[in-house]
Amino acid sequence: MYYGKIRENDIANGSGVRVSLFVSGCRNHCKNCFQPETWDFQYGQPYTEETEKHIIESLSHPYIQGLTLLGGEPLEPENQEVLIRLLRKVKSKCPEKDVWCYTGYTLEQTLQDGSPCRCAVTDELLSLIDTLVDGRYEDELRDISLKFRGSSNQRLIDMKKEREKDDWEKKGHAI
């Protein structure tokens, strides 16, 4: 996996002060995307063990509320396979930190068998995310008054509440 940048004191992409990882690679190609350069899966620099150590270290500061994943598209299968290792470490080493993830896919798409964003680790990845901002950016629905979203079709989903719903486990999704 490649990434475009890491912001260590981000206040725009989730609540509180956050560490934000902008991954590379996106097949959604939303019209007027704010970072079209991140559509390329090899944009930026390779994600390495050193990158991961840097992120974990940056999260250790008491004023940091959590980690935000965005891009590009964190839920592209190629990215999920790397991000799952990062999120496991974050939840183990920094359990008090929350995780936000921005995706152009809807939650329903991520759960649907055969979806282009679904892979072997999708359920586990979703189980480690606290807030999911889902849905493609729709330029026609742009609304600058929305908190943490660019267009009105996008949703802020409390994943803990979502996982507590009766049908979550019945549908075979990890908690």
Side-chain angles (χ1 to χ4, degrees):
M1 181 179 87
Y2 281 69
Y3 70 98
K5 64 182 150 191
I6 297 170
R7 285 192 182 149
E8 292 151 353
N9 294 289
D10 190 355
I11 58 169
N13 295 300
S15 59
V17 181
R18 313 189 65 74
V19 174
S20 293
L21 172 64
F22 292 78
V23 302
S24 297
C26 182
R27 294 181 179 93
N28 287 319
H29 297 190
C30 300
K31 178 183 173 187
N32 290 327
C33 170
F34 81 106
Q35 292 197 122
E37 64 276 8
T38 65
W39 295 351
D40 179 349
F41 280 84
Q42 294 189 340
Y43 169 76
Q45 349 178 23
Y47 181 91
T48 65
E49 275 189 46
E50 289 304 313
T51 309
E52 197 163 272
K53 286 178 188 174
H54 175 74
I55 291 169
I56 299 293
E57 183 180 304
S58 298
L59 285 168
S60 70
H61 301 292
Y63 59 87
I64 298 292
Q65 183 169 329
L67 173 68
T68 298
L69 305 173
L70 63 169
E73 176 55 68
L75 296 187
E76 293 291 4
E78 299 90 329
N79 293 335
Q80 288 186 52
E81 291 174 14
V82 174
L83 293 174
I84 191 68
R85 292 190 310 264
L86 170 63
L87 292 191
R88 286 174 186 151
K89 286 183 183 171
V90 168
K91 292 297 183 174
S92 171
K93 295 180 183 228
C94 310
E96 73 285 0
K97 307 295 181 176
D98 65 354
V99 175
W100 282 50
C101 179
Y102 283 78
T103 178
Y105 297 105
T106 64
L107 176 58
E108 293 76 15
Q109 286 173 312
T110 67
L111 298 173
Q112 183 180 356
D113 287 337
S115 172
C117 64
R118 192 143 176 82
C119 67
V121 298
T122 303
D123 283 343
E124 183 182 359
L125 191 75
L126 291 172
S127 78
L128 299 173
I129 293 170
D130 299 293
T131 301
L132 186 71
V133 182
D134 81 338
R136 292 171 55 98
Y137 169 73
E138 299 287 344
D139 203 41
E140 303 75 34
L141 300 174
R142 182 174 185 254
D143 185 345
I144 61 170
S145 71
L146 296 171
K147 198 171 187 179
F148 306 123
R149 297 172 287 157
S151 58
S152 61
N153 63 299
Q154 295 173 310
R155 304 176 294 180
L156 283 167
I157 300 172
D158 180 330
M159 290 301 292
K160 183 176 185 216
K161 287 182 182 175
E162 196 64 35
R163 289 187 294 270
E164 289 171 353
K165 291 182 179 177
D166 289 339
D167 62 343
W168 188 267
E169 256 188 300
K170 289 177 188 168
K171 290 182 178 176
H173 304 297
I175 291 189

